[in-house]
Amino acid sequence: MDLLSATADVSVPLIAAEIAGAVVVAIALHLVTRTPAPPPPASRPVPPPAEGPARAGAEAAPPPTAPFATDESEDEEAWGEDATTDAGMTAPPVVAQRVREQHAQRSLFGMLRDALGRSREVLKEGLDRLLGRPLDEAATEDLEEVLLRADVGVQTTERLLDKVRRAGADADLRAVLRDEMTAILEPVHVPFRPGEGIWVVLVVGVNGSGKTTTIGKLAARLKGEGRKVLLAAGDTFRAAAEQQLSTWADRAGVDILVLDEGADPGAVAYKALERAQAEGHDVVLVDTAGRLQTRKPLMEELGKIRRVLDKVHPGAPHETLLVLDGTMGQNGMSQATLFHEATPLTGVVVTKLDGTAKGGMILAISNELKLPVKLVGLGEKVGDLRDFDPKAFVDALL
């Protein structure tokens, strides 16, 4: 064997081994680059700290914050009908956004339909029994009972029954009622619309009607419309009233004028208008006492406040709104009559409409007192104080 052959015999196996090794390395590198990295181990949720005293030296983590409450219970605590005494609560920011969001979420008709659910059930149950029956005297007697149960009132019920009788035995009962109810509400309806300059609103009503809450919600709404609002704490005989109104002023982010407990309500009105003129407020909401022990002191007090307002700002008050608890039904009519005698009312606010089967009282207010219902409280949220719409109300009721 010559030298060349020997070299070839040795080199061939060596070369083959080197090639095989290179192939193995290349395959291994390829597999490594194609294999994704394993995911990090899932983090275990941190359990909430047990109730009880904190460990020494440990600091509690602050709760997450949000500009507005989204939970119903939280909203009721922060902005509900019963939110009255937690004066230390921080006012929610961007009230305007809060009101706009709540108004956009639900249409007025939808809110009225929900709020009037109990009143509608009373009417629906009775009207369903009359379907298919001729509208004779027996049917109208049954209808009378249904309307009175819905707290429509005697005078207004008689007006509706008269319309049904004149419509004839074959008329569509719901259509007849809808047309006449609309005819009761629309002629007297005037929406709540503040005018130019300082617009003064005198708010009256008995304690417990939701008057303070209504003022607070209305202040939030007006600020949301870009107006500068001043609250005047005119119920000086009840310390809790001033505290509640101050709480709502903080929440709505508006100004408030409070004098010492027991101060003259006329002095509150006077100083409030002076401040509004000096500081450029657009709207002044004047709270008043809600005592109804006797009529004479009430008339004298409200009359004095009106005279003071007109003296400082001629033409004031531009609105005098009576706040009525919707759950009172026809009992609220006697309040409305008394206040209307004590001070000329320009409109009514019906609160707590979502918790009553007595929504028919709104028809009685417009028919018997010829007063427009301007605002309605359809829930506990700040955006649930809504403009009253006669057609939407009738459609939701029937």
Side-chain angles (χ1 to χ4, degrees):
M1 178 183 299
D2 56 14
L3 180 60
L4 181 60
S5 298
T7 304
D9 291 340
V10 175
S11 301
V12 169
L14 290 174
I15 294 172
E18 290 177 359
I19 293 173
V23 170
V24 171
V25 172
I27 293 173
L29 291 173
H30 178 70
L31 291 176
V32 169
T33 58
R34 289 286 302 273
T35 304
S43 59
R44 297 175 60 186
V46 179
E51 295 184 358
R55 291 181 294 117
E59 295 184 0
T65 58
F68 302 110
T70 55
D71 179 72
E72 182 71 18
S73 61
E74 183 180 355
D75 186 86
E76 290 175 8
E77 180 181 357
W79 291 82
E81 291 283 353
D82 297 328
T84 54
T85 59
D86 46 342
M89 179 178 176
T90 303
V94 200
V95 173
Q97 180 183 343
R98 173 59 180 261
V99 175
R100 285 196 300 268
E101 287 177 351
Q102 291 182 4
H103 278 225
Q105 287 172 2
R106 305 180 64 192
S107 68
L108 176 60
F109 173 76
M111 294 181 70
L112 276 169
R113 188 169 178 80
D114 291 345
L116 293 170
R118 294 174 63 185
S119 299
R120 186 172 61 254
E121 283 302 315
V122 171
L123 286 173
K124 182 178 183 300
E125 179 183 349
L127 295 179
D128 286 349
R129 292 198 304 266
L130 297 173
L131 291 178
R133 293 174 53 184
L135 298 180
D136 53 17
E137 194 59 34
T140 55
E141 288 180 3
D142 291 341
L143 177 60
E144 178 180 15
E145 179 183 350
V146 172
L147 294 173
L148 291 176
R149 284 178 57 204
D151 252 39
V152 173
V154 175
Q155 292 184 30
T156 308
T157 294
E158 285 300 323
R159 173 172 172 172
L160 293 171
L161 291 177
D162 182 63
K163 185 69 174 181
V164 170
R165 293 187 185 101
R166 289 188 284 109
D170 299 326
D172 183 335
L173 178 58
R174 276 194 169 86
V176 173
L177 290 176
R178 178 177 287 105
D179 290 346
E180 191 61 17
M181 288 179 178
T182 303
I184 289 172
L185 296 171
E186 284 194 337
V188 299
H189 180 62
V190 180
F192 177 79
R193 295 288 184 273
E196 298 297 326
I198 301 176
W199 193 256
V200 182
V201 182
L202 185 65
V203 185
V204 301
V206 300
N207 297 332
S209 63
K211 176 165 57 73
T212 304
T213 299
T214 296
I215 293 173
K217 291 180 178 181
L218 185 56
R221 165 180 160 167
L222 292 168
K223 180 172 181 179
E225 295 172 355
R227 304 177 192 273
K228 187 174 181 180
V229 181
L230 174 64
L231 306 185
D235 188 356
T236 60
F237 299 100
R238 192 168 60 97
E242 297 177 352
Q243 295 170 1
Q244 292 163 13
L245 200 64
S246 295
T247 298
W248 274 107
D250 290 339
R251 289 172 178 165
V254 300
D255 297 326
I256 184 170
L257 184 135
V258 179
L259 298 185
D260 294 336
E261 183 178 351
D264 184 353
V268 175
Y270 183 87
K271 290 183 177 296
L273 275 184
E274 277 194 331
R275 179 175 172 184
Q277 292 171 343
E279 299 180 7
H281 290 88
D282 302 304
V283 180
V284 179
L285 302 178
V286 183
D287 189 16
T288 57
R291 297 166 293 112
L292 276 176
Q293 286 88 344
T294 56
R295 185 171 64 177
K296 186 176 180 180
L298 172 69
M299 294 179 66
E300 291 176 351
E301 182 176 305
L302 292 178
K304 180 178 180 180
I305 293 175
R306 294 183 66 91
R307 290 192 299 272
V308 169
L309 292 173
D310 182 63
K311 181 177 180 180
V312 181
H313 188 59
H318 306 95
E319 288 268 19
T320 302
L321 299 179
L322 169 64
V323 179
L324 285 180
D325 182 346
T327 64
M328 295 293 292
Q330 285 299 302
N331 290 332
M333 284 293 296
S334 61
Q335 295 178 17
T337 302
L338 176 59
F339 275 103
H340 201 27
E341 292 174 355
T343 181
L345 301 174
T346 60
V348 177
V349 181
V350 179
T351 65
K352 308 175 189 178
L353 202 58
D354 55 318
T356 181
K358 302 178 179 181
M361 68 176 292
I362 287 179
L363 292 164
I365 291 170
S366 294
N367 182 55
E368 298 176 28
L369 298 180
K370 306 303 179 186
L371 284 173
V373 174
K374 295 201 171 189
L375 300 164
V376 285
L378 303 178
E380 295 179 339
K381 297 180 180 179
V382 65
D384 289 343
L385 181 67
R386 303 296 295 265
D387 288 316
F388 180 73
D389 182 279
K391 185 178 184 304
F393 171 80
V394 174
D395 289 343
L397 187 62
L398 296 177

